[in-house]
Amino acid sequence: MTLPALSHTVDRFPGSAADAAVLVVPDTAAFPEALEDYPGLAEVLTAIGFTGSASAFARVHLPSLTSLPLAVVGAGSTPDGAAVRDAAGAALRTLTGFGHVALDLAGDLDQFAAEAAEGAVFGGYRFEGYRAKPGKSRAGEVTVHSESLSDEDVSRARILGDALALVKDLVSVPAEWQSPAELAQSAVDAVADLDVAVDVLDEAALAEQGFGGVLGVAQGSDRPPRVVRLDYSPADATGHIALVGKGITFDTGGLSLKPAASMVGMKFDMAGSATVLAALRAIASLKLPVRVTAWMCITDNMPSGKATRPGDVLRMLDGTTVEVLNTDAEGRLVLADGLVAASRERPDVIFDVATLTGAVLVALGHRHTGVMGDDEAVAEYLTVSEQTGELAWPLPLPDYMQESLDSPIADMINANMGDRAGGTMFAGLFLQRFIGRTSDEDDAPRIPWVHLDVAGSAEHGSSPYGFTDKGPTGATVRSLVAFAEARAQEA
């Protein structure tokens, strides 16, 4: 990964050791008061027609203010933390070719200095990739000039930046170099310097323990599956959050083969596992007093003479039998095993994260995460997602659809081939059946659970915006961390 180093100072950028400067400003309605500390800048921006609209970017020349190359970026008409985060991210993403950038905040935007620091780190990320010649470099160092920014704010911004970068790095690796075993090793390496226990289950252990969903999806591939359990359990933990991630390292659809165009990009079908790994690593790095257990359910989904056939029946970890009608609805099969395993430890809440359904793109587009599950837990997640600026939207789990999961020969089917409507909700209802109870009593309530369908939000396919590049986004990582922080504060 390539991330800028981050520091802060109370000095303004004219005295900085940087070689370029960025100023975040509100829209022109706030001029000239917001720019009273920057003589002549309001007139220059007005002359060039700069409006200060959200993430608007312009290079200006004002040697009377600073000898540094100067850029301004807009925070919009009603700037808040999310707008300032996006503005700083857009600036660091756009202003290339400078090694050290000084970032300043005009007017009362200094109250959002922590968000600006986050945006600067997020926007400064770059995946170098496999090009023969590297592209234009982004800043290797950013200094945020603020009177309110603390060392803790800077540390948190860097930790969150590292978490997003980990997801983006893992998702960007071609599947040829990221087998289930290699992704499992990446997980081990990612937490090697933290107080996190790791257990990697290979194909023999999975068969012995009965992970029938993972093994059923994996059996068409020459590369055996892995399930990785990571456990951050501080001595002062006051609660327990479980995270389960879908980790399909390449998804051809199996024997229900995808069309060629739909198969492009399917290396990113392991984004859910990368997300839960990154969230746990960030929570452990922040030393939050909350126990977090993450389950990464990792396999290929390939067609071969060994592959699961439509009509085959798989037995999940809890003994539930599933008639597989569509081998391209494989994510819910591996998640089912992960949810059962997570439930056995009876955490306070379970999250699963998955690039699960194309239907969620139809319903919510490419930026919103679909959220389903227990009403109270969903509401709690939506609150923190709004605070972090990550777009999310609740979807129902209607009881009337339960009968559509019925199979004539097994406990349930994995896909309703006769009716494709409501595919995202069907998948959510399927997963709900694998959430365990809060106690051994048959009538005990299910463990609170939140399902995050990131099939749209985990990858951005069009023009960059804010701190978001084209490509993997790291969606839901920051909200999961914020959820853990909120639980820690409650305790």
Side-chain angles (χ1 to χ4, degrees):
M1 71 179 73
T2 302
L3 278 178
L6 186 65
S7 60
H8 68 106
T9 177
V10 296
D11 298 327
R12 294 200 179 278
F13 54 66
S16 171
D19 51 13
V22 169
L23 179 64
V24 182
V25 302
D27 76 351
T28 52
F31 294 176
E33 183 178 355
L35 300 181
E36 61 184 1
D37 292 332
Y38 309 91
L41 184 57
E43 292 80 5
V44 170
L45 296 181
T46 300
I48 65 173
F50 183 81
T51 64
S53 59
S55 295
F57 180 87
R59 295 279 297 272
V60 297
H61 180 64
L62 193 58
S64 62
L65 177 62
T66 177
S67 60
L68 299 175
L70 176 62
V72 291
V73 60
S77 58
T78 56
D80 57 10
V84 171
R85 184 188 295 111
D86 273 344
L92 268 295
R93 178 176 52 77
T94 305
L95 188 64
T96 58
F98 298 99
H100 186 177
V101 172
L103 178 68
D104 202 358
L105 302 160
D108 61 0
L109 297 184
D110 187 69
Q111 64 183 303
F112 305 118
E115 288 87 350
E118 292 174 11
V121 175
F122 302 162
Y125 167 84
R126 188 178 187 89
F127 182 73
E128 295 300 338
Y130 309 97
R131 299 180 181 89
K133 295 182 179 179
K136 291 184 178 180
S137 62
R138 295 178 183 176
E141 184 176 354
V142 178
T143 300
V144 180
H145 298 267
S146 168
E147 296 181 357
S148 62
L149 198 64
S150 67
D151 291 343
E152 291 75 16
D153 292 330
V154 170
S155 176
R156 184 177 184 275
R158 178 67 196 214
I159 287 169
L160 292 177
D162 283 341
L164 292 191
L166 176 60
V167 176
K168 294 177 181 181
D169 281 355
L170 291 175
V171 172
S172 297
V173 174
E176 64 180 313
W177 297 320
Q178 186 153 256
S179 67
E182 287 167 323
L183 180 54
Q185 185 59 49
S186 293
V188 173
D189 296 341
V191 297
D193 59 342
L194 297 169
D195 187 17
V196 175
V198 185
D199 187 17
V200 179
L201 303 180
D202 62 14
E203 63 273 29
L206 294 172
E208 180 181 355
Q209 296 184 31
F211 282 76
V214 174
L215 292 168
V217 174
Q219 69 188 42
S221 176
D222 291 334
R223 308 192 301 185
R226 295 289 186 270
V227 168
V228 181
R229 177 184 177 273
L230 304 105
D231 188 14
Y232 165 64
S233 186
D236 58 347
T238 55
H240 184 189
I241 300 170
L243 308 174
V244 181
K246 173 186 173 184
I248 307 300
T249 44
F250 196 79
D251 181 18
T252 66
L255 291 180
S256 302
L257 196 66
K258 294 178 183 290
S262 298
M263 212 178 297
V264 174
M266 281 299 103
K267 67 178 184 178
F268 101 117
D269 213 17
M270 37 62 66
S273 275
T275 298
V276 302
L277 168 64
L280 179 140
R281 190 176 78 165
I283 291 165
S285 297
L286 291 167
K287 296 181 170 59
L288 297 181
V290 179
R291 183 184 179 192
V292 181
T293 307
W295 296 82
M296 301 169 63
C297 305
I298 311 171
T299 178
D300 284 336
N301 185 25
M302 300 289 286
S304 75
K306 302 180 296 181
T308 294
R309 296 163 289 267
D312 285 356
V313 174
L314 303 179
R315 188 177 299 275
M316 304 293 108
L317 183 58
D318 66 349
T320 300
T321 55
V322 177
E323 183 183 8
V324 179
L325 300 185
N326 183 357
T327 64
D328 195 23
E330 84 297 330
R332 64 202 68 178
L333 299 174
V334 303
L335 286 174
D337 282 348
L339 291 169
V340 172
S343 295
R344 288 175 174 174
E345 298 181 350
R346 297 216 170 97
D348 300 316
V349 62
I350 299 174
F351 284 87
D352 74 78
V353 187
T355 49
L356 203 62
T357 67
V360 79
L361 280 85
V362 177
L364 299 179
H366 290 274
R367 297 194 187 182
H368 281 80
T369 294
V371 187
M372 286 152 275
D374 175 80
D375 288 345
E376 291 186 9
V378 165
E380 188 177 354
Y381 176 82
L382 291 173
T383 296
V384 297
S385 69
E386 183 176 5
Q387 293 168 352
T388 61
E390 290 193 316
L391 299 178
W393 199 258
L395 295 172
L397 293 172
D399 284 340
Y400 73 83
M401 289 184 66
Q402 292 284 0
E403 64 181 16
S404 65
L405 276 71
D406 292 343
S407 164
I409 63 169
D411 294 321
M412 56 197 300
I413 57 175
N414 79 321
N416 188 355
M417 303 302 288
D419 184 1
R420 306 304 294 273
T424 299
M425 295 180 290
F426 179 97
L429 288 167
F430 180 96
L431 295 177
Q432 185 182 50
R433 295 194 180 185
F434 296 94
I435 304 300
R437 306 285 177 177
T438 55
S439 74
D440 290 332
E441 301 297 327
D442 291 339
D443 59 350
R446 292 188 186 274
I447 298 167
W449 158 70
V450 181
H451 165 49
L452 303 176
D453 191 335
V454 295
S457 58
E459 185 175 40
H460 179 61
S462 53
S463 299
Y465 67 95
F467 60 80
T468 302
D469 277 301
K470 184 176 181 179
T473 64
T476 76
V477 169
R478 294 186 296 116
S479 294
L480 289 170
V481 174
F483 187 95
E485 289 175 321
R487 283 290 176 99
Q489 290 174 355
E490 289 174 7

